[in-house]
Amino acid sequence: MRTDTPWSTLPARDHLLARAGDAAGAPVLDVVVPVYNEEKDLEPCVLRLHDHLARTFPYAFRITVADNASTDRTPEVARRLARSMPEVRSYRLEEKGRGRALRTVWSHSDAPVLAYMDVDLSTDLNALLPLVAPLISGHSDLAIGSRLARSSRVVRGTKREFVSRAYNIILRSSLSARFSDAQCGFKAIRREVAQRLLPMVEDTGWFFDTEMLVLAERAGLRIHEVPVDWVDDPDSTVHIVRTATEDLKGVWRVGRALAVGALPLDRLARPFGDDPRDRGIGGVPGGLARQLVGFCVVGALSTLFYLVLYSLFRQGVGPQLANGGALLVSAVANTAANRRLTFGVRGRGGAVRHQAQGLVVFAIGLALTSGSLAALGAASGSPSHGTELAVLIAANLAATVLRFLLFRAWVFPDRDRGGDAPRPADTPAPRPAAVPADDTHHELRNVR
């Protein structure tokens, strides 16, 4: 996974209206239309989109055609549109991939709000202003159109409807995603967020959207959803089976990276007070209430996991070996879960040390539970399996309080929140190169 992002935190969100005139003619909104062999639909799309923005959008705007290595007359059409309308630009990439096109254009844009939509304009353009308004006002970091909201009106075939809803269920169950529609080709993002987020997104194809949203949500960024009216394009060239397969591979890759803490999501954090999660509870020091809740949930799941493992191991070995093996495996999982979910430590920094300290805590738990089993054996000789489980549950509950105190004071103290590496708060994020105002066509070759 990509991790080459700046260390400083994101600035506070501000309302773009107050400084819209400071950008020396730069547009407030840059709408990207990624295309591949769309010589027939490109011109009607751009003309309709341009007309809509000119009539309804109260800020300066730009339309950027991102050509994904088309082999037909699409590049020629894009250049002609760029020459005839000052608000239209064109980019040419020599490699295919919608994600690659969006990352390239968004990384070079000077507009504070970046959006994209599919060339078929399946989404009603009346949703465009509601999509970008929360980003302009400073309320949200990203915005997405949703075809699965209750008030959305959608016309599409049964197969696509089934695939979309099944994919949404997979994302919710595997990646705990809370957004409703990852695949709708109608999204927007603030530029300062894109500068930090896009280098972490590895996919260059159709999974790009999902990966971007999952990482943004896990980092605590605010995602605004807009119900849309959407009509399926019967001439769509998207290969459903191949796209679904690639998406499932992406889900596995991202899920694995999040599970092991391989992504420095702390670099997407907003300043203190901007994220509701950072606001303290009156009279409770250091987020103790939230940590207790998280620790209890993780502990309950870990205990169930431990008991299942103990029962499995007990079928082949004695109680002491079964207890030790079950405790070791569950302890590693417990430390990793508490590190990320309870104490909010992100990234790889200190992960090995935290696991080593967690094993010390595990040794204490092992001594308590093993001692309890030994005492039980000495007292009753051959206790039943149910009696063993009851004693182990009591011993684990006794060890839980001590485990939490050690985790909080020793393994994950306050100075480790968000990782161990220093992050100077006043280090500005590097700005991408601005698109020249007098250049209407750009050739980007061998972009990865």
Side-chain angles (χ1 to χ4, degrees), residues 38-68:
E38 297 286 357
E39 61 180 4
K40 176 182 176 182
D41 295 332
L42 177 57
E43 184 168 3
C45 162
V46 172
L47 292 177
R48 179 182 165 196
L49 177 59
H50 183 276
D51 176 69
H52 178 83
L53 288 170
R55 289 186 295 104
T56 65
F57 193 67
Y59 300 90
F61 65 88
R62 176 190 298 141
I63 301 172
T64 302
V65 179
D67 175 31
N68 289 276

Side-chain angles (χ1 to χ4, degrees), residues 103-136:
R103 175 165 39 233
T104 301
V105 176
W106 281 354
S107 297
H108 288 79
S109 180
D110 54 353
V113 176
L114 311 168
Y116 95 90
M117 62 181 59
D118 292 335
V119 69
D120 55 22
L121 294 186
S122 295
T123 304
D124 183 11
L125 292 178
N126 287 327
L128 182 56
L129 184 55
L131 181 80
V132 301
L135 308 187
I136 293 175

Side-chain angles (χ1 to χ4, degrees), residues 196-316:
R196 306 293 185 85
L197 180 57
L198 296 185
M200 299 184 193
V201 180
E202 184 173 316
D203 191 80
T204 59
W206 292 97
F207 187 69
F208 174 89
D209 302 54
T210 301
E211 186 171 355
M212 178 180 69
L213 291 174
V214 169
L215 299 187
E217 188 174 74
R218 287 298 186 95
L221 298 179
R222 184 175 294 155
I223 301 175
H224 178 73
E225 293 199 21
V226 178
V228 297
D229 296 342
W230 193 87
V231 179
D232 189 16
D233 178 14
D235 298 324
S236 175
T237 58
V238 177
H239 193 287
I240 296 180
V241 175
R242 182 170 63 244
T243 301
T245 302
E246 293 301 318
D247 285 348
L248 292 177
K249 291 179 181 178
V251 169
W252 167 255
R253 173 176 54 79
V254 172
R256 182 178 57 184
L258 291 172
V260 301
L263 293 167
L265 299 180
D266 55 298
R267 304 180 191 182
L268 296 171
R270 287 290 186 181
F272 180 82
D274 192 63
D275 188 335
R277 301 175 307 165
D278 295 330
R279 298 174 187 168
I281 302 175
V284 180
L288 178 60
R290 180 185 59 79
Q291 290 177 358
L292 280 172
V293 172
F295 184 80
C296 289
V297 172
V298 172
L301 295 176
S302 297
T303 300
L304 291 175
F305 183 48
Y306 160 78
L307 293 175
V308 171
L309 289 177
Y310 177 81
S311 297
L312 292 175
F313 293 162
R314 188 66 177 86
Q315 297 177 10

